[in-house]
Amino acid sequence: MTQENAMDMETTCFQLITAAGSAKSDYLEAINTAKEGDFEGAQKLIDSGDASYREGHTVHSKLVQQEAAGNSVPVGLLLIHVEDQMMAAEVFRAMAVEMIGLYQKIADQAK
């Protein structure tokens, strides 16, 4: 791998880490927003997190397609970290949606 390709891969990894981190942040903020009773705001944060995640997923898909086409993708600690962050963002989203639903039920019962 040339130094230029290594730099491109590093840049790609940081794009993915940034997208996953932004998504996780929005999902966590959505939980706190729902806890305060602002369910519309919580949904907007889920949507924002989804947009960030999609950005990362688009880049990630290109790496998978590259590998599938027979062009190996170098696997290093940074790419493993990317995979972990992407998976964590998916889990955070699922938990956030569930918790927001629970806060909504509690709010509805309190009326």
Side-chain angles (χ1 to χ4, degrees):
M1 174 186 291
T2 68
Q3 186 174 1
E4 185 177 320
N5 288 345
M7 293 280 285
D8 287 345
M9 185 60 179
E10 186 175 287
T11 299
T12 298
C13 286
F14 282 114
Q15 286 175 323
L16 288 162
I17 291 167
T18 300
S22 293
K24 287 189 304 183
S25 254
D26 283 343
Y27 298 147
L28 285 172
E29 191 175 343
I31 293 168
N32 289 326
T33 300
K35 187 176 183 178
E36 298 299 320
D38 180 3
F39 300 105
E40 186 177 313
Q43 185 57 54
K44 286 180 182 176
L45 286 161
I46 292 291
D47 294 343
S48 175
D50 289 350
S52 293
Y53 187 81
R54 272 192 306 277
E55 287 176 23
H57 191 273
T58 299
V59 174
H60 186 261
S61 292
K62 289 178 185 175
L63 290 176
V64 172
Q65 290 170 356
Q66 178 182 329
E67 183 81 23
N71 303 316
S72 66
V73 174
V75 177
L77 186 57
L78 195 54
L79 185 57
I80 292 168
H81 181 60
V82 165
E83 296 294 329
D84 179 54
Q85 294 304 302
M86 295 292 287
M87 293 277 300
E90 287 183 54
V91 171
F92 273 57
R93 185 191 191 285
M95 289 181 8
V97 168
E98 287 299 316
M99 291 184 74
I100 291 166
L102 290 172
Y103 282 126
Q104 181 71 62
K105 281 184 180 182
I106 291 168
D108 290 345
Q109 289 177 352
K111 289 180 183 177

